[in-house]
Amino acid sequence: DLDTHWMCVPSPSGRRCLVVASNGRTVSRLRNGHLIDTFKSLLPGGGGRWANKKEYCFLDCVLHEPSFTYYILDMMCWKGNLYYSCDSEFRFYWINAKLSEEDDDISVISDKNQFRFVALPRFSCDPDSLLCTLNTVYPFPKSGYLFYHKDGHYTFDSTPLVCYLPENSMSSLINGSLSNSSKMSL
């Protein structure tokens, strides 16, 4: 069911963190709660433009410090609306939809947006898409790939519905998928 029920996301090298934008500031923390930084951003509630105190945003990100970029893995909350109980396929669609609706480009560093925020690409897990995932040149160094079950809800704990595969293991998965798909067509 890999090719029909899972999505693949390239994972940048960097520090995994939670980004919370609320009350006019944006805070990023490691998963253990250690503060990484406090800054202004154009995220809802992040201090770059929104004055509405009721708006806030929670993002699961990877911070790639050399490029001052937070790569968005997942979204738990946007403008005060919670998405924990939504399936991952919807959350991934919604990230891109919400980012495209914004008037200001949060992927550009400015006085109001001190770090870039970029949604990561998502790929199907059929053999052709996995090959594309492996052969794509990304604007960041990859540590590996995350596989999300399309029906999985967001959780803070480990779950079998999100799996990590190191960069050097992806070829084995693709070779196995290609072998299995050619066996199926016989």
Side-chain angles (χ1 to χ4, degrees):
D1 97 320
L2 179 66
D3 60 342
T4 56
H5 291 93
W6 292 82
M7 292 178 289
C8 180
V9 179
S11 180
S13 296
R15 296 198 287 174
R16 179 94 178 261
C17 58
L18 174 66
V19 174
V20 177
S22 68
N23 296 318
R25 68 182 183 149
T26 306
V27 176
S28 62
R29 295 185 179 275
L30 294 175
R31 294 184 337 167
N32 66 6
H34 179 77
L35 179 68
I36 297 173
D37 205 349
T38 301
F39 54 95
K40 284 189 177 193
S41 75
L42 292 170
L43 294 172
R49 67 171 159 222
W50 277 287
N52 186 344
K53 296 270 187 193
K54 293 180 182 178
E55 290 187 349
Y56 51 94
C57 177
F58 302 155
L59 300 173
D60 187 351
C61 296
V62 173
L63 171 59
H64 183 251
E65 291 176 279
S67 65
F68 296 96
T69 304
Y70 284 92
Y71 288 100
I72 303 170
L73 293 171
D74 212 334
M75 173 180 67
M76 293 83 76
C77 178
W78 188 266
K79 290 189 179 180
N81 297 304
L82 300 177
Y83 298 101
Y84 293 99
S85 62
C86 297
D87 63 64
S88 58
E89 188 171 34
F90 173 80
R91 290 192 318 273
F92 294 161
Y93 161 77
W94 208 241
I95 290 167
N96 290 317
K98 293 294 140 191
L99 294 180
S100 69
E101 288 175 2
E102 298 303 322
D103 294 332
D104 297 313
D105 190 354
I106 68 169
S107 68
V108 176
I109 295 173
S110 68
D111 291 342
K112 295 179 179 181
N113 198 57
Q114 296 167 329
F115 288 85
R116 297 173 60 221
F117 287 87
V118 177
L120 289 164
R122 273 83 169 146
F123 295 89
S124 297
C125 290
D126 61 87
D128 291 338
S129 296
L130 288 175
L131 274 173
C132 181
T133 303
L134 186 63
N135 294 325
T136 298
V137 176
Y138 300 98
F140 52 82
K142 290 188 306 287
S143 67
Y145 299 88
L146 287 162
F147 290 85
Y148 290 83
H149 193 279
K150 290 179 180 181
D151 296 329
H153 293 193
Y154 191 87
T155 179
F156 291 101
D157 296 323
S158 27
T159 172
L161 300 178
V162 178
C163 305
Y164 175 77
L165 187 66
E167 169 76 16
N168 59 1
S169 301
M170 185 65 153
S171 295
S172 301
L173 175 70
I174 290 173
N175 291 335
S177 290
L178 292 175
S179 298
N180 289 341
S181 84
S182 47
K183 286 177 191 169
M184 287 179 180
S185 63
L186 295 175

